[in-house]
Amino acid sequence: MDILKLIEHVPDYLYESTEDIVLFSSVKFYRNLEGLNFTPKLTDEQRKEIQKRILEKVLALPMWDKNYNIIESDQAPYELLLILHERGIAGNGTLEQRKSTLLFDNEERYVIRINERDHLTFSIRSSFHNFEESAQESLIYIGLMDKTLGFAYKDGLGYLTTSPRYLGHALNITAMCHIPAIFTLGQIQNFSSILQKYLIVLSGIMDTSMQTYGAFVQLKITSFFDTFDEVKNKMHSAFEEIRDLENQLRNIIVLERPIEVEDRISKSYAILQNAKLLNLAEAFENLSTLRLGVDLGYVKEIHPNFFKEAFLRILPNHVRVFYAVQGDDLTKEAEMRALLIQELLDKYHYAS
Amino acid sequence: MLCQKCNSRDAEIVYKEFSNGKLITMNLCWKCAEETANAVREIPQEEMEPPDSSTKCPKCGLTLREFRTNFQLGCSYCYEYFLPFFREVLDRVIHRSSFSGERIKPDRFSIYLQSEILKLKDELQDLTDREEFREAIKVRDKIHKLESILKWISSN
Ligand SMILES: [Zn+2]
Ligand SMILES: [Zn+2]
């Protein structure tokens, strides 16, 4: 697999998004085959057997347009795994143990992990306006696989997962959101009360082990004895409330045009255009503010796709591998990130 | 996001607790949630950690100690065997005591797909009438995709 090409690729689930607030969403199911030990107690032999059985059934599903990738994590170069991890394809377990198999299409929409923490982790990612459709699609596939593979299940508990924190329909739904007005106008209290009401956990940019930066936050709801429909409805209601709050605040910004907000936007723009070094936090914080400027029409010359491409490409390993940064040279990494952002600003600059 | 108690592991669950008649929620990792739940119940440490901490699942051999280290179970039977040890945490992090749903069956989605295809066909007609061909092609592709899934379901 061509790592540089992978790094440069902006997957559809990011590209096709037409909205400002939810950048993309994903639904992820966790499953184990009935009658076999879970991953912590598997022998290598059993692991291979499980991999074979699941691959055969998953590849028979109708969504692969002959374009898919299979990565055996024990044979893949480690830097590829780091990139896949940042793109949300490999989980923490794959990096730690390197005993899992990853399967995904070129648009990174269908992502399947075999023998990571559970025998099967099946996820579909999409832009939010296609969420309902991909959610229904995921149910069809997971239902069909249950029919052919037989998943471990117990009445009163639901699907049995390696970690007891899933259960029920054993899934989580996440949404990557950008809510700069809430953060800029300091409405965190209102935002937190929505999170509490729907039992939402916040996680980082692409993966749980990453911090949140700028106003980019990932919302996550886990099933916990809930059915798929219940989790989905919760997420929908939560989004509506968060989106209303964010839009309300954006309106205030536009109507009252506080000079502080305009000032922050122009400063962020200037930093991104001129900085020589940008660490990850600085980059995301300024991208976040600039994006607010573009969304509100303060900054007119940047195409919104700039943010979609920058989103994955500025991540640490994406920068390091692409520019062959050696060792843990953080300065070099920051330098290359600044350069990359400036190149992308040129690329997505409207000819005026 | 990091666990609000230990600040070192990832927060995985929203933990609920009533304090002075108010519901308080915290984002915790599993380990801290379990410790907090046990402290609330005022269970002496010895009781939670029976002297025979090598208590093993008779099917896969997972010990209670192993489970406590990373909160992963070894097999389906572990759920029966170890459930009493984490029941309290479950009660704290979920708003109901058991799962009342059922297995996900693919059959009901044939109906969803059929109705979706009908809707899209109306939309396609609309777009063609308005000569919005680019959009129409997208909708047509979507119909094809759904039809192929439907065909695939009925042949499996
Ligand atoms: Zn903790
Ligand atoms: Zn067991």
Side-chain angles (χ1 to χ4, degrees):
Chain A
M1 155 152 246
D2 187 337
I3 300 188
L4 298 184
K5 246 193 193 157
L6 175 69
I7 290 176
E8 283 188 295
H9 182 62
V10 183
D12 276 351
Y13 71 87
L14 272 175
Y15 235 13
E16 68 195 10
S17 169
T18 50
E19 76 155 276
D20 299 341
I21 297 175
V22 190
L23 308 187
F24 63 88
S25 52
S26 96
V27 47
K28 192 184 278 167
F29 292 91
Y30 303 86
R31 294 289 185 269
N32 288 293
L33 303 188
E34 188 149 80
L36 285 160
N37 283 355
F38 298 161
T39 54
K41 289 285 171 198
L42 281 183
T43 63
D44 286 349
E45 201 100 308
Q46 290 168 318
R47 193 183 305 276
K48 270 187 212 134
E49 174 62 29
I50 288 168
Q51 191 235 38
K52 214 180 113 202
R53 268 169 69 183
I54 293 181
L55 261 187
E56 189 190 306
K57 296 297 177 202
V58 172
L59 285 173
L61 293 174
M63 76 270 203
W64 311 104
D65 312 327
K66 294 191 188 88
N67 289 316
Y68 57 80
N69 311 279
I70 298 179
I71 307 287
E72 307 268 8
S73 60
D74 57 343
Q75 285 154 38
Y78 194 61
E79 61 178 23
L80 173 62
L81 295 182
L82 289 173
I83 299 296
L84 294 174
H85 184 247
E86 280 182 350
R87 296 176 88 84
I89 294 169
N92 295 341
T94 295
L95 278 194
E96 285 156 19
Q97 308 231 354
R98 297 184 77 168
K99 282 182 174 171
S100 48
T101 304
L102 307 167
L103 169 65
F104 56 97
D105 64 313
N106 286 351
E107 289 312 324
E108 301 164 41
R109 187 169 139 74
Y110 306 99
V111 176
I112 282 109
R113 303 176 190 159
I114 303 172
N115 290 328
E116 192 178 80
R117 185 179 347 221
D118 292 283
H119 295 161
L120 170 68
T121 307
F122 179 92
S123 62
I124 302 192
R125 297 189 280 193
S126 66
S127 62
F128 192 57
H129 65 271
N130 288 329
F131 174 69
E132 190 55 42
E133 194 187 315
S134 56
Q136 293 297 339
E137 195 185 349
S138 70
L139 276 184
I140 295 171
Y141 297 148
I142 205 75
L144 283 167
M145 280 189 277
D146 194 8
K147 223 169 145 185
T148 49
L149 285 163
F151 296 132
Y153 179 92
K154 194 171 169 9
D155 284 333
L157 288 178
Y159 290 95
L160 303 178
T161 46
T162 305
S163 162
R165 69 196 156 135
Y166 296 107
L167 295 174
H169 273 168
L171 71 132
N172 64 41
I173 293 180
T174 59
M176 186 69 230
C177 299
H178 183 232
I179 41 174
I182 291 175
F183 279 58
T184 306
L185 298 183
Q187 295 281 326
I188 302 298
Q189 204 55 46
N190 290 340
F191 176 60
S192 308
S193 62
I194 300 174
L195 299 186
Q196 292 211 350
K197 180 166 150 198
Y198 295 103
L199 302 180
I200 293 175
V201 174
L202 283 190
S203 65
I205 294 292
M206 284 301 288
D207 201 84
T208 47
S209 59
M210 271 197 205
Q211 259 176 277
T212 50
Y213 294 110
F216 294 103
V217 290
Q218 183 148 229
L219 313 182
K220 181 158 137 192
I221 300 191
T222 299
S223 48
F224 265 132
F225 282 172
D226 281 350
T227 64
F228 177 82
D229 287 336
E230 286 162 340
V231 181
K232 201 184 65 179
N233 293 339
K234 244 195 242 176
M235 200 51 138
H236 271 298
S237 317
F239 281 158
E240 232 148 81
E241 290 186 31
I242 290 168
R243 191 190 274 129
D244 283 353
L245 179 62
E246 172 71 16
N247 280 329
Q248 240 173 32
L249 297 171
R250 286 184 184 207
N251 283 336
I252 292 176
I253 293 178
V254 171
L255 288 175
E256 298 177 3
R257 292 184 75 87
I259 187 96
E260 295 88 347
V261 174
E262 209 165 341
D263 174 64
R264 271 203 228 179
I265 293 168
S266 17
K267 277 178 184 159
S268 283
Y269 193 11
I271 288 174
L272 293 174
Q273 278 176 314
N274 298 297
K276 296 291 173 224
L277 298 174
L278 283 169
N279 67 33
L280 190 64
E282 271 176 308
F284 266 121
E285 271 151 31
N286 289 305
L287 280 173
S288 171
T289 313
L290 180 60
R291 184 168 177 153
L292 177 69
V294 171
D295 289 348
L296 296 182
Y298 286 88
V299 179
K300 293 201 169 63
E301 67 268 25
I302 299 173
H303 193 282
N305 282 352
F306 162 72
F307 300 98
K308 295 175 188 171
E309 178 157 1
F311 190 75
L312 288 174
R313 292 207 55 194
I314 64 166
L315 295 175
N317 290 309
H318 276 65
V319 173
R320 303 175 77 85
V321 174
F322 195 77
Y323 294 101
V325 177
Q326 298 299 312
D328 48 358
D329 190 346
L330 289 174
T331 311
K332 191 77 187 162
E333 182 195 313
E335 185 189 341
M336 290 302 133
R337 184 178 288 112
L339 191 81
L340 168 71
I341 287 177
Q342 283 143 23
E343 271 174 22
L344 293 177
L345 277 171
D346 277 347
K347 178 175 167 188
Y348 289 100
H349 194 279
Y350 283 117
S352 43
Chain B
M1 184 189 205
L2 290 176
C3 167
Q4 288 175 303
K5 271 218 151 146
C6 64
N7 264 316
S8 66
R9 287 176 289 266
D10 282 328
E12 298 174 314
I13 46 188
V14 184
Y15 181 90
K16 290 178 290 182
E17 194 174 278
F18 279 97
S19 170
N20 299 326
K22 262 183 78 181
L23 176 68
I24 299 171
T25 62
M26 290 178 277
N27 295 320
L28 300 182
C29 69
W30 186 278
K31 199 177 175 78
C32 290
E34 196 191 35
E35 277 165 16
T36 315
N38 290 342
V40 169
R41 273 206 310 182
E42 291 174 347
I43 292 178
Q45 194 58 30
E46 310 85 75
E47 208 177 300
M48 283 313 294
E49 199 83 49
D52 184 19
S53 197
S54 53
T55 309
K56 266 186 189 164
C57 164
K59 284 241 165 92
C60 71
L62 187 92
T63 62
L64 181 60
R65 186 165 296 141
E66 279 178 287
F67 170 63
R68 284 258 158 77
T69 335
N70 52 13
F71 297 93
Q72 294 187 359
L73 296 166
C75 72
S76 303
Y77 190 73
C78 284
Y79 270 99
E80 278 164 47
Y81 199 71
F82 291 115
L83 193 61
F85 297 103
F86 60 84
R87 182 85 245 179
E88 179 74 7
V89 190
L90 288 186
D91 291 343
R92 291 272 164 183
V93 295
I94 50 192
H95 52 277
R96 54 171 69 142
S97 54
S98 75
F99 175 61
S100 54
E102 41 181 55
R103 294 183 95 109
I104 295 173
K105 294 186 195 76
D107 316 46
R108 75 175 235 224
F109 302 107
S110 307
I111 301 160
Y112 164 81
L113 282 175
Q114 279 156 354
S115 77
E116 203 61 10
I117 289 169
L118 286 181
K119 254 195 267 171
L120 287 170
K121 281 186 170 161
D122 280 349
E123 200 182 318
L124 179 63
Q125 191 56 51
D126 240 32
L127 289 167
T128 323
D129 291 347
R130 283 186 276 132
E131 301 190 358
E132 290 178 29
F133 297 117
R134 270 180 67 179
E135 280 305 302
I137 288 173
K138 277 193 207 160
V139 173
R140 192 201 58 197
D141 287 349
K142 221 182 226 179
I143 295 174
H144 284 173
K145 186 178 165 193
L146 296 187
E147 280 175 341
S148 75
I149 296 175
L150 196 60
K151 219 173 98 194
W152 192 87
I153 292 178
S154 52
S155 66
N156 276 272

Short mmCIF file of all heavy atoms in Angstrom, two decimals, chain B residues 3 6 9 29 32, ligand 1:
data_model
loop_
_atom_site.label_atom_id
_atom_site.label_comp_id
_atom_site.label_asym_id
_atom_site.label_seq_id
_atom_site.Cartn_x
_atom_site.Cartn_y
_atom_site.Cartn_z
N CYS B 3 -10.03 10.49 32.15
CA CYS B 3 -10.87 10.20 33.31
C CYS B 3 -10.76 11.34 34.33
O CYS B 3 -9.67 11.81 34.63
CB CYS B 3 -10.41 8.88 33.92
SG CYS B 3 -11.08 8.54 35.53
N CYS B 6 -8.68 9.76 37.84
CA CYS B 6 -7.27 9.40 37.85
C CYS B 6 -6.46 10.27 36.88
O CYS B 6 -5.24 10.31 36.96
CB CYS B 6 -7.07 7.93 37.51
SG CYS B 6 -7.60 7.51 35.84
N ARG B 9 -6.13 7.48 32.60
CA ARG B 9 -6.73 6.61 31.58
C ARG B 9 -7.81 7.37 30.84
O ARG B 9 -8.32 8.38 31.33
CB ARG B 9 -7.31 5.36 32.25
CG ARG B 9 -6.26 4.37 32.72
CD ARG B 9 -6.89 3.21 33.46
NE ARG B 9 -7.40 3.62 34.75
CZ ARG B 9 -6.73 3.53 35.89
NH1 ARG B 9 -5.51 3.02 35.89
NH2 ARG B 9 -7.24 3.94 37.03
N CYS B 29 -12.94 6.37 33.83
CA CYS B 29 -12.49 5.13 33.23
C CYS B 29 -13.17 4.00 34.01
O CYS B 29 -13.72 4.23 35.09
CB CYS B 29 -10.97 5.00 33.31
SG CYS B 29 -10.34 4.75 34.96
N CYS B 32 -11.84 3.39 37.75
CA CYS B 32 -12.26 4.39 38.73
C CYS B 32 -13.75 4.28 39.01
O CYS B 32 -14.19 4.48 40.14
CB CYS B 32 -11.93 5.81 38.26
SG CYS B 32 -10.17 6.14 38.27
ZN ZN C 1 -9.71 6.75 36.05
#
